[in-house]
Amino acid sequence: MRKKVIAGNWKMNKTNSEATEFLNQIKEGINTDKVDVVVCPTYLSLTDMIELTKDTKISVGAQNMYFEEKGAYTGEISGEMLKEIGVKYCIIGHSERRQYFAETDDNVNKKAKKLIELGITPIICVGESLDQRENNETLVVVTNQVTKALQDISSEDISKMVIAYEPIWAIGTGRTATNDQAEEVCMQIREVVKNIYDESTAQNLRIQYGGSVTKDNAKDLFAMPNIDGALVGGASLKSDFIDIVKA
Ligand code: PGA
């Protein structure tokens, strides 16, 4: 049985004091071993959120990193820096980073390898645009993204990562994929992993759905056989996140 993983992607929201106040509000409500719960604040709040969650079941993740260890990369943060302060997860390849910050599949692969080496769980985001869906390219696009992200990663390391299927047209739009649409692509991702590695590697991989997940649709999405949790944006900024974890 794969353990579900629910991650809140706070994006560029909440100042440090707002983040502190919010986490203090929700942390009592999230006290479960049944699922893994992660919050991903901005870099600036990582240290304080790690301190605040020390005696809780909540892990803290970053929203990005750079794959080099150190050097002349103005504005970037390395995996080593994240590891030292106790970051456990890191989102990579989010569609907003691909769209606004020129993140490529090759970079995503390099970041995934680095994070695995450091013992930080990568949450690798993949997903198609509306145009691609309407042109029936969804499965091809996602297959390519997954294949490139996993290049030169061993089967053993697949269980140390999470893949998040996030259709771009569903992110922040209130237009969630239907359960069947989400399941179809998550199943395809597992099939891709099976084809590259083997059945048991594919069965061990945790695959999240993301894109307008709410407390009202979470339960049905989580009931789908290939959906192992969610990457939650907007609803993770409110106490609704507790209800999503409970779902
Ligand atoms: P959303 O964002 O839940 O606000 O649609 C999801 C995400 O971008 O990870």
Side-chain angles (χ1 to χ4, degrees), residues 33-176:
D33 285 319
K34 287 196 199 138
V35 295
D36 289 331
V37 181
V38 188
V39 293
C40 304
T42 71
Y43 288 135
L44 283 179
S45 297
L46 286 171
T47 309
D48 282 0
M49 298 308 105
I50 288 166
E51 184 61 31
L52 271 182
T53 51
K54 237 179 15 203
D55 300 314
T56 72
K57 305 275 166 60
I58 303 171
S59 301
V60 176
Q63 298 174 17
N64 183 33
M65 48 79 75
Y66 193 57
F67 52 81
E68 295 289 354
E69 181 185 343
K70 60 182 169 186
Y73 304 103
T74 303
E76 292 300 305
I77 301 255
S78 73
E80 283 80 0
M81 292 168 186
L82 297 177
K83 185 186 166 82
E84 191 196 70
I85 61 167
V87 167
K88 300 284 187 245
Y89 289 78
C90 185
I91 299 168
I92 52 174
H94 190 282
S95 62
E96 286 150 18
R97 295 219 54 91
R98 293 178 191 257
Q99 186 180 347
Y100 305 131
F101 303 100
E103 186 86 272
T104 64
D105 287 321
D106 180 52
N107 270 11
V108 172
N109 175 246
K110 289 188 173 118
K111 291 177 178 190
K113 284 192 238 175
K114 185 67 179 191
L115 289 167
I116 289 169
E117 177 194 317
L118 293 169
I120 298 173
T121 304
I123 300 178
I124 302 174
C125 302
V126 297
E128 82 288 0
S129 66
L130 188 57
D131 269 0
Q132 290 165 332
R133 175 157 286 267
E134 283 171 350
N135 290 329
N136 282 322
E137 291 165 5
T138 300
L139 297 182
V140 174
V141 168
V142 171
T143 298
N144 272 332
Q145 288 174 330
V146 171
T147 307
K148 287 179 182 160
L150 300 184
Q151 201 150 20
D152 301 323
I153 292 179
S154 73
S155 64
E156 183 184 300
D157 287 337
I158 296 298
S159 61
K160 300 176 191 158
M161 65 167 66
V162 174
I163 293 184
Y165 166 55
E166 297 205 306
I168 298 169
W169 47 272
I171 295 178
T173 57
R175 184 176 165 196
T176 324

